[in-house]
C-alpha cells in the first residue's frame, strides 16, 4: 500500500506517518526530513536548499523527486509520502517512479485543518534529537518530562523554519502550489478527506478507518 498524506504545514502529516510506521510496518518518506538531513551533512544539495527552506519557499522539483527516487525502494512494503508531492510536476514524477516499479497509489489522505490553529501547533513543536519522535509544548508532551517516550533520549530540538513569519510563507506556498494538485488525484478517485483538527488519536482512528475500508 502506497499512500500520500497531504495537508498544509503543521497539519499532522509527520505525526501520523510515524504512527503508521509503528502500526503497519510502512515506511515514511518525508522530503522535508531528507532535505534537513542533507543540510546537516553539508552535502551539495544541503547547501543549495538551505536559504530556500529558511525562507519557507519550495525547493526545486528536480531535487525532491531525485531524493524520492533514491529512497523509494527502501519502502517496498508500503510508502507513506509525507510532504511530497507538492506540485503538479512532482505528482507526475511520482507516477513515473511508482509505475517503473509496478506500484501505484492506493489513497491520498487530505488532512483538513484550520490554518490559524496551525501556527500555534507549529510554533509549539519539538522533536527528539535522537529518534525524531514528534512532540508539542501542550498537545503532546513526553510522558516523563525531558525523556523521549520512544527511545529514552534526553535531547530535543526545534526547526529553524518554525517561526510565525516563515510558517505564513509556507502556508502561502501550500495554497498556491500544493492544494491545486488535489483535482489531479480526485480525478483518479484517490482522495479521502480526514478532519485533522481532532486529537492525535482521533485523527489516527479516522485514517485507519479510511485505510481499512
Ligand atoms: P516539511 O518538513 O515537509 O514541512 P511541512 O510540510 O511544512 O510540514 P510540517 O513538518 O511543518 O508539518 P506536519 O504536517 O508534518 O505536522 P507535524 O506532524 O509535525 O517541509 C519543510 C520545507 O522543506 C518546506 O518549506 C520546503 O522548503 C522544503 N520541502 C519539503 N518537501 C518539499 C517538496 N516536496 N517540494 C519542495 N520543497 C519541499 O505536527 C505539527 C505539530 O503539531 C507537532 O508539534 C505535533 O506534535 C502537533 N500535532 C500533530 N497532530 C496534532 C493534533 N491532531 N492535535 C494537536 N497537535 C498536533
Amino acid at each position: 500500500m502506497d499512500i500520500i498524506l497531504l495537508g498544509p504545514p503543521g497539519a499532522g502529516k509527520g505525526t501520523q506517518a510515524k504512527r503508521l510506521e509503528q502500526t503497519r510496518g510502512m515506511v515514511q518518506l518525508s522530503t522535508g526530513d531528507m532535505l534537513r538531513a542533507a543540510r546537516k551533512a553539508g552535502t551539495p544539495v544541503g547547501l543549495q536548499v538551505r536559504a530556500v527552506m529558511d525562507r519557507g519557499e519550495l525547493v526545486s522539483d528536480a531535487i525532491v523527486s531525485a531524493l524520492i527516487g533514491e529512497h523509494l525502494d527502501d519502502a517496498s512494503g508500503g510508502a507513506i509520502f509525507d510532504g511530497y508531492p507538492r506540485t503538479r510536476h512532482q505528482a507526475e514524477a511520482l507516477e513515473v517512479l511508482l509505475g517503473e516499479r509496478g506500484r501505484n497509489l492506493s489513497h491520498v489522505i487530505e488532512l483538513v485543518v484550520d490554518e490559524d490553529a496551525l501556527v500555534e501547533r507549529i510554533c509549539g513543536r519539538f522533536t527528539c534529537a535522537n529518534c525524531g519522535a514528534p512532540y508539542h509544548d501542550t498537545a503532546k508532551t513526553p510522558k516523563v518530562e525531558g525523556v523521549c517516550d520512544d527511545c529514552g533520549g534526553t535531547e530535543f530540538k526545534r526547526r529553524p523554519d518554525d517561526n510565525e513569519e516563515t510558517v505564513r510563507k509556507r502556508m502561502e506556498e501550500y495554497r498556491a502550489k500544493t492544494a491545486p494538485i488535489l483535482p489531479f488525484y480526485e480525478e483518479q478517485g484517490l482522495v479521502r478527506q480526514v478532519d485533522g483538527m481532532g486529537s492525535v488519536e482521533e485523527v489516527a482512528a479516522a485514517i485507519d478507518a479510511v485505510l481499512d475500508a
Side-chain angles (χ1 to χ4, degrees), residues 17 21 38 41 43 64 75 79 96 109 113 121 134 142 151 183:
E21 281 195 321
T43 67
V64 289
V96 172
I109 298 182
V113 283
R121 263 198 201 178
C151 74

Side-chain angles (χ1 to χ4, degrees), residues 31-48:
T31 40
D33 286 351
M34 292 172 198
L35 292 166
R36 281 184 287 279
R39 285 175 60 152
K40 197 171 170 196
T43 67
V45 164
L47 295 173
Q48 203 180 330

